[in-house]
Amino acid sequence: MGRGAIALARVAVVVRAPAGWLWWTGLAAAGIGVLVPGLTGRTIGVLAGAALCLIAACGVFAARRGRYTALAAEASRAGKAVILQDRSVTLRVRRRAHRRWLLLAFLAAVGSSFALPAAGGLLMAGAALGLWAKARWLGRWERAHESLLWVRTESAGRGGAAGKDVRGYLTTGVAAGDAAPGGARGKGTPAAAHPTPAAAARR
C-alpha cells in the first residue's frame, strides 16, 4: 500500500460476510437436530425453531440500523489515496475472524437439540437471513444515492461495519470495486474494468 493510502472494504460485504456460513451450518445443525427426539419432541422443536428463526431474522435486520443510517448520511467522498479491497478478500478476512464463533454456535445448536430439536440450527439460519436482508437494505440506499458505502478495514476489523471504532463511511461512484450494490457478486465485470485505486475514488 502506498504512503498515506488507506484500505477500504465495502460496508455491505462486511455485513453479509458471515451470512453464508451461518445459513449452511444452521441448516446442518437443524438437520442433525431433527434426528434427535429431544425432551420436547421433534414437532415442538421445529415449530419453536421456526419462531426463533423469524425473531432472529427481524432482530439482526433491525440491529444498529440507526447507526448505519447516521454513518451513511454523514459519509464523505473518498479521496485518491485509497485502496479498495476486493469482495473476495473482504469475505475471506471476515469469515476467518468469525470462524471460531461459528464453530461454537454450531456445536451449541447441535447440543441444544437434545432439549429442543432443530431449534438452535434454525436460530442460526434466521440470523443469516437478517444479515442478507440488511445487506439488501444497504444496497437500496446505495442505488438511491448512486454511491457505494465503504469503511476503513482496520475499523471494521474490530467491531464490524457499524462498531464503535468506525468514525465514518466513505463513498465512491457505483462503478468502483468489484461488488454490486448490496455487496453481491458483480455481474459480468471484466478484469480489465476494475478501476485503479485513484480512479475508483473519482467515479
Side-chain angles (χ1 to χ4, degrees), residues 9-10 12 43 71 104 117 132 161-162 183-184 188 192:
R10 278 287 298 285
T43 301
L71 288 168
L104 291 175
W132 275 322

Side-chain angles (χ1 to χ4, degrees), residues 7-22:
L8 303 178
R10 278 287 298 285
V11 172
V13 176
V14 173
V15 168
R16 69 186 291 147
W21 281 16
L22 270 173

Side-chain angles (χ1 to χ4, degrees), residues 3-96:
R3 183 178 180 182
I6 58 174
L8 303 178
R10 278 287 298 285
V11 172
V13 176
V14 173
V15 168
R16 69 186 291 147
W21 281 16
L22 270 173
W23 174 255
W24 292 113
T25 54
L27 291 184
I32 294 172
V34 169
L35 302 177
V36 180
L39 296 176
T40 61
R42 294 186 182 91
T43 301
I44 294 177
V46 171
L47 290 175
L52 289 173
C53 179
L54 180 60
I55 292 171
C58 294
V60 171
F61 174 67
R64 292 184 173 180
R65 277 188 60 177
R67 177 154 171 77
Y68 281 100
T69 300
L71 288 168
E74 298 173 359
S76 57
R77 197 72 172 174
K80 295 181 179 180
V82 296
I83 301 296
L84 304 181
Q85 191 174 77
D86 288 346
R87 180 181 185 272
S88 60
V89 175
T90 302
L91 290 176
R92 184 168 62 250
V93 170
R94 296 302 298 168
R95 287 170 178 171
R96 185 181 301 153

